[in-house]
Structure formats: structure tokens, C-alpha cells
Amino acid sequence: MRTQVAIIGAGPSGLLLGQLLHKAGIAAIVLERQTGDYVLTRIRAGILEQVCIDLMDEAGVGTRMHKEGLVHGGFDMLFKGERHRIDMNKLTGGKNVMVYGQTELTKDLMDARAAAGLTTVYEAANVQVHDFDSKNPRVTYEKDGKTHEIQCDFIAGCDGFHGVCRASAPRSAIREYEKVDPFGWLGLLSDTPPVHEELIYANSSRGFALCSMRSETRSRYYLQVPLTDKVEEWSDEAFWQELRLRLDPEAREQLVTGPSIEKSIAPLRSFVTEPLRFGRMFLAGDAGHIVPPTGAKGLNLAATDVKYLFNGLVEYYQDKSEAGIDRYSELALKRIWRAERFSWWFTSLMHRFPNEGEIAQKFQEAELDYLIHSEAGSRSIAENYVGLPLDFGH
Ligand code: FAS
Ligand code: PHB
């Protein structure tokens, strides 16, 4: 079988790239090791930056997002028992974010791909990438007891943090930067009305908490927990009890609890691969980098990697120029490191770090107090949270 671009991974990165390429008349096949249903069971991101929203529109899959997504112009920071609103819309000259779950975004992309009759091979086992340092890269995989081969011009490694593409890059050609945080996030999804109309990020002496949502009837909550915790050790009641202890009196009063429909613990890490290109194989999304979810950047970074890579591939096929694909890694990494820095900073500001003593909490509260009462400080948070423009240049 032959195609122009072989995309490994049917998460948001792979599916968004496939959809953009299709609209540009560039052929691509998506290979995914799981089933589509399994991909949709993973509860992940919830916040879309404007650049991601625009890309969904460019891919022609934004209808349900605009109908069901919730536009948010701000969020609350809770510390020392008091909430303070960051008015992103005012501080950024009118920018907002949208609450629209990654599950829904992925479903929209899956449905569009199926409706266009495009090939996605689910349950593709033992995917391997070959000869990506030549002009004739190949991908092999196993399905229904047979080994299949795809010849292509390019391989897009959209296969996430545990994928095969980054692992296949020559060790001598790759540099990996990593910082693992000494805690995780215990997430709970429930069909209960959100505790507040916008998100609440809480810095409490007991640990970080986040009150988010997926709609006006479905809530998403997170608690910072030790890495040694196991999700089965957390009953729903224990979760709600701990969340109450980390909230302010008003939110505690407003909180509507109910049975969890999903509960999981995610580790927090900062991770970046340099470069993001190995011959004719490119890494995009979590395959190339991971951010702690505090800044809601993971999914949005994946979307902008895809846009930069898509632009380069269009330039290659339509203008016969390699300038775009040559520039991909440098362009994407510039934006990636900005988001990594914000996500690390926000995580450091809001979480309890072991062995740092009570003085660390006092430092955090003093910084939060400064930021909330400084227009420059609040604007810095707002600008980073709504996301940098695609072509932010400097
Ligand atoms: P993904 O990991 O989503 O997709 C990669 C796909 O490749 C998967 O479907 C996988 O099955 C497939 N794959 C892997 N290896 C393969 C192989 N060898 N062959 C074929 N297919 C293969 N971001 C936020 O902004 N906010 C959050 O709250 C948040 N929470 C998260 C919680 C968890 C537990 C995790 C892991 C991530 C979270 N993220 C969050 C980040 C997340 O949203 C990612 O940024 C997003 O899924 C990136 O999308 P992809 O790059 O497509 O990677
Ligand atoms: C979510 O709703 O899953 C979410 C929102 C904001 C974050 C992280 C996760 O910073």
C-alpha cells in the first residue's frame, strides 16, 4: 500500500493532521494500536485555546464545538481561603478559552474521518517505522494475522508519550529534557453541575485542587495526591471530603457531589524532545513533549505542532519547497518551550512540594498576592493561559 503521509496515532494530533491534509488533497493513512472506543474512553484535556478552536474550524469539524463548547473569559485563583478572578478577556484585549473536552474533540475528528471514507487502521499491532532517513520511508504493522507495509513520503509520529516513533529515533540524534514532579493528579468526572461558572485553581496547605467542567451538567475535579497513591484507595466520598477541605466556604457550600463516572491518577512531568524531526519522520504532540496539565497546554500544543507540520507539508506538495518542513522543528519548539515554562511555573506556584516546609507556602501566597494585585502580573498569567498566537515571532 502507498500513501503520501503515514500518521501513527489516532489521538487529537493524528486525527487533526489527517483531517487538515485531507482538506488540502494530501493522502494520509492513520494507524492506531487501540480501538476507537478505547481512545474515546481516555478522559484528558478540557480547555481549548483560540488557536485550537481556529484549527478545528480550518479542519471543518468545529460545528458541535461551537454549539456545545462553553466560552470562558476568566478563571478564579483561590489562596488563603479567598478567590480572586483573573479577567482574561479584559487583560488580553478580548481573548477567551473554550471548555470542550478532548473526548468530544477526538470524536468530532473521528466522525469526520469516517464520513469522508478515509482509512484509519485501528488495532494495528507492532507498528514499526523504517528508512525514515531516506526518501522512501516505510511503516509496517500487523493486523488479522498478517504483516502489512505502507510506503510513504513522510511519517508523522503522533503516537503520544509511549509511542514507537520517538523510541525509533537514533539515540545519537536526539536530546530529551525531563522533570518529573513528586506528585500526581487524582481526577474525578461526575454528572453533577459545576461548583462555579468558571474554573477554580486552588492553592491550599493540603495541596492543589482544580474545579473544572465538561458542560453545565458534567464536572471535572482534580486533587494533588502523592505519587504513591492508588486510585482504588480513593472512594468517591473520600474525594469529595478532601476537595471540600481545599475549597473556600462559598464553593464548599455550592459543591454538588455525586457518583464518579471516571476516576484516575495522572503523573505530572515536563518533557521535551529535541529535535522533532528525523529525516522524513516528524514528532507532533505528546510524542514530542509533555507538560504538567496545570496550564491546560497539552492538547493545545499538540494542535499547534500539527498546524506547523501541516503548513510545511502543504508547502512541500504544492510549492515543491522543503522550507516549511525544514523549519518545523525550530518553529514548534519555540512555542513548546514557552508553554513548558508557563506550565512548570504555574505548577510550582500552586502545588505543595515535599520537604520545602511551611515557608514555601508563604512564598507562594506572597507571589499570588502580588500577581492578583498587579495588572502586569495578572496580564502575564492571562496572556499565557489564553495561549500565544501561532506566529508570536520573538
Ligand atoms: P495521545 O497520547 O492523545 O494519542 C496518541 C495515540 O497514539 C493514542 O491513541 C495511542 O493509542 C496511539 N499509539 C501509541 N503508540 C502507538 C503505536 N506504537 N502504534 C500505533 N498507535 C500508537 N492536557 C491538557 O491540556 N489538560 C489535561 O487535563 C490533560 N490531562 C491529561 C491526563 C493524562 C492521563 C494524560 C496522559 C494526558 C493529559 N493531557 C492533558 C495531555 C493530553 O491531553 C495530550 O496533550 C493529548 O492527548 C495529546 O494528543 P496526542 O499528541 O494525539 O497524543
Ligand atoms: C480539565 O478540565 O481537564 C482541565 C482544565 C484545566 C487544566 C487542566 C485540566 O489546567
Side-chain angles (χ1 to χ4, degrees):
M1 191 190 298
R2 175 170 237 294
T3 190
Q4 290 172 298
V5 183
I7 299 174
I8 318 299
S13 298
L15 292 173
L16 180 57
L17 180 60
Q19 193 61 22
L20 289 168
L21 290 173
H22 167 62
K23 284 182 73 66
I26 299 169
I29 290 176
V30 177
L31 297 179
E32 166 58 52
R33 73 174 164 193
Q34 305 288 358
T35 63
D37 288 344
Y38 180 88
V39 173
L40 290 173
T41 59
R42 294 187 304 229
I43 306 298
R44 296 228 179 122
I47 301 292
L48 306 186
E49 297 174 357
Q50 190 59 50
V51 280
C52 188
I53 295 164
D54 294 345
L55 281 171
M56 287 292 282
D57 285 336
E58 184 180 340
V61 292
T63 307
R64 189 164 73 103
M65 173 189 70
H66 288 292
K67 188 158 155 274
E68 298 179 12
L70 303 174
V71 176
H72 281 198
F75 59 88
D76 281 4
M77 304 274 279
L78 163 58
F79 62 99
K80 294 203 290 189
E82 284 183 23
R83 292 203 329 234
H84 306 265
R85 184 169 187 263
I86 296 285
D87 186 343
M88 291 187 294
N89 186 274
K90 179 165 85 54
L91 289 161
T92 62
K95 291 184 182 171
N96 301 305
V97 294
M98 182 186 279
V99 171
Y100 191 65
Q102 176 173 322
T103 304
E104 306 316 316
L105 178 144
T106 306
K107 190 170 183 329
D108 293 340
L109 287 164
M110 279 179 179
D111 292 349
R113 190 163 180 80
L118 300 173
T119 307
T120 304
V121 181
Y122 286 103
E123 297 180 283
N126 192 22
V127 170
Q128 293 185 22
V129 290
H130 311 273
D131 306 332
F132 48 82
D133 50 359
S134 79
K135 287 194 181 306
N136 305 295
R138 298 175 297 120
V139 178
T140 54
Y141 67 95
E142 290 159 18
K143 175 115 179 150
D144 304 328
K146 282 192 289 190
T147 298
H148 304 262
E149 177 173 287
I150 299 173
Q151 283 112 32
C152 51
D153 300 329
F154 299 102
I155 298 170
C158 299
D159 48 350
F161 186 61
H162 301 290
V164 65
C165 292
R166 189 181 72 246
S168 302
R171 291 298 97 189
S172 58
I174 195 170
R175 282 203 66 180
E176 295 178 339
Y177 301 86
E178 184 170 49
K179 178 186 182 304
V180 179
D181 289 308
F183 41 74
W185 277 18
L186 167 63
L188 181 144
L189 193 68
S190 58
D191 278 332
T192 55
V195 68
H196 185 52
E197 59 191 14
E198 293 178 327
L199 273 60
I200 303 174
Y201 286 82
N203 169 303
S204 108
S205 58
R206 299 180 64 90
F208 171 79
L210 172 58
C211 302
S212 184
M213 62 193 80
R214 288 293 177 271
S215 69
E216 285 161 359
T217 58
R218 178 166 284 194
S219 298
R220 179 73 171 163
Y221 294 103
Y222 294 96
L223 293 176
Q224 172 188 346
V225 294
L227 273 177
T228 48
D229 274 18
K230 302 273 178 291
V231 65
E232 49 272 13
E233 294 165 353
W234 280 88
S235 67
D236 288 2
E237 193 36 51
F239 184 96
W240 295 123
Q241 187 50 32
E242 184 57 33
L243 178 61
R244 284 192 189 92
L245 293 173
R246 299 187 188 186
L247 293 178
D248 58 290
E250 183 195 343
R252 212 171 289 148
E253 184 60 35
Q254 297 287 336
L255 182 65
V256 176
T257 64
S260 60
I261 48 180
E262 190 272 354
K263 218 168 22 184
S264 53
I265 294 180
L268 271 69
R269 78 176 74 239
S270 304
F271 178 89
V272 180
T273 303
E274 288 189 355
L276 294 174
R277 176 191 188 178
F278 303 90
R280 292 208 160 199
M281 180 172 75
F282 299 90
L283 304 180
D286 277 18
H289 46 78
I290 295 285
V291 281
T294 321
K297 293 296 160 216
L299 174 59
N300 293 295
L301 267 186
T304 44
D305 288 355
V306 163
K307 175 62 175 167
Y308 292 139
L309 179 55
F310 166 69
N311 289 350
L313 290 169
V314 166
E315 215 176 302
Y316 175 83
Y317 284 109
Q318 292 182 359
D319 310 339
K320 304 289 176 254
S321 157
E322 302 208 6
I325 53 176
D326 289 347
R327 210 173 41 246
Y328 164 69
S329 184
E330 183 196 347
L331 207 54
L333 282 166
K334 204 169 181 177
R335 200 172 193 285
I336 290 161
W337 278 114
R338 289 286 183 94
E340 290 279 348
R341 191 282 318 168
F342 173 68
S343 303
W344 158 79
W345 169 80
F346 202 11
T347 302
S348 310
L349 180 63
M350 300 303 287
H351 290 73
R352 295 267 57 72
F353 286 74
N355 318 316
E356 285 206 346
E358 288 179 19
I359 192 168
Q361 167 102 25
K362 301 300 278 182
F363 286 153
Q364 289 175 339
E365 289 172 355
E367 182 168 3
L368 284 160
D369 212 40
Y370 159 69
L371 290 168
I372 290 300
H373 295 102
S374 151
E375 183 163 338
S378 298
R379 177 169 290 115
S380 173
I381 296 176
E383 276 179 353
N384 280 283
Y385 196 89
V386 297
L388 302 170
L390 260 180
D391 50 353
F392 68 95
H394 54 286

